[in-house]
Amino acid sequence: LDLYVHTFHLMQKQHRVNQLKERVEAFTFDIQPVEKSSDELYILVIGEASRYDHWGINGYDRNTTPLLANCPNLILYEKVFAQANLTEYSVSFLLTRATAGNPEIARMEKSLPEACREAGFWSGYISTQISYDFTERIRQNCNYSRFYTKNFDQDGNYDAKMVEDVAATVADTLQFYLLHSLGSHFRYEHRYPGDFAYFEPVLGKSAGYSMLKKENKDRMVNAYDNSIRY
């Protein structure tokens, strides 16, 4: 019975995606494609569930960002606010001109990766997140896409996979990559490999929502900070 139910849901989803694609098919940003005068590589990373106040470079008392701290020309934006706290909404606000006041724009206009394609760039969309209608439409309009996640808590589902994908597909041309990470989603111990257990002790991979108690806070923060550091 499961097989029929999930097949039906998959067909429903693809129907919705096709409707979205048809709605924006004629939309254009009126961008004149650039002539390839030099190799350019742009990478936009969406880091999920990552708190500003748990980054060492933002003044947190733990060194959770050792590599970023050594990056030259790093610019930190101190007063930035998300317009939504749920992936399905916030990502559409990040990648289109949609806002919390006018969310329908995301269903009427194309997105940033598609704008880059219109400008003459090769575009890639790589994610360890679960695909839904909006992101599925975008990935189908990219030159390359790969979505890894089937289950948030599966072993070995680490964000570094995306970096390996970039290394395997990067070329001497105009390229734009969108990397959408699983980041620091609960359960935190599943977000990083064992050799990144820098802050200890933690609850362990078997920890569930029943462990969300005050007495477990320190262990949970340790695991969360490990995910940020990774």
Side-chain angles (χ1 to χ4, degrees), residues 79-139:
K79 297 181 179 180
V80 179
F81 299 89
Q83 296 191 72
N85 62 352
L86 188 66
T87 299
E88 190 168 347
Y89 298 106
S90 59
V91 172
S92 65
F93 297 155
L94 286 169
L95 298 181
T96 70
R97 296 189 287 193
T99 65
N102 194 357
E104 274 302 303
I105 292 178
R107 307 175 75 85
M108 306 301 294
E109 296 184 358
K110 291 182 178 178
S111 64
L112 177 59
E114 293 162 305
C116 290
R117 282 204 68 181
E118 190 174 324
F121 281 74
W122 178 99
S123 66
Y125 190 171
I126 306 170
S127 177
T128 48
Q129 272 284 345
I130 293 174
S131 175
Y132 54 94
D133 297 0
F134 174 76
T135 54
E136 185 65 27
R137 182 190 67 74
I138 296 175
R139 69 178 289 189

Side-chain angles (χ1 to χ4, degrees), residues 140-155:
Q140 291 184 16
N141 283 338
C142 287
N143 298 98
Y144 174 82
S145 71
R146 187 165 187 178
F147 277 54
Y148 282 97
T149 300
K150 300 297 186 296
N151 182 339
F152 277 12
D153 296 331
Q154 68 187 41
D155 282 332

Side-chain angles (χ1 to χ4, degrees), residues 169-194:
T169 56
V170 69
D172 295 332
T173 185
L174 302 172
Q175 287 188 301
F176 171 84
Y177 284 91
L178 172 61
L179 305 186
H180 187 184
S181 72
L182 196 51
S184 297
H185 264 289
F186 189 75
R187 300 175 175 90
Y188 310 130
E189 290 87 342
H190 286 270
R191 305 287 82 87
Y192 57 90

Side-chain angles (χ1 to χ4, degrees), residues 62 192 194 196-202 218-219 222-223 226:
R62 282 180 163 180
Y192 57 90
F196 270 83
Y198 189 80
F199 305 106
E200 294 189 295
V202 297
D218 290 344
R219 290 172 179 258
N222 285 341
N226 286 336

Side-chain angles (χ1 to χ4, degrees), residues 14-39:
Q14 189 55 52
H15 176 66
R16 294 193 303 268
V17 172
N18 289 338
Q19 286 183 316
L20 288 175
K21 291 174 69 175
E22 290 174 6
R23 186 179 296 182
V24 301
E25 186 174 7
F27 179 83
T28 176
F29 290 100
D30 293 324
I31 301 173
Q32 296 299 316
V34 297
E35 293 185 9
K36 184 183 177 300
S37 57
S38 62
D39 301 331

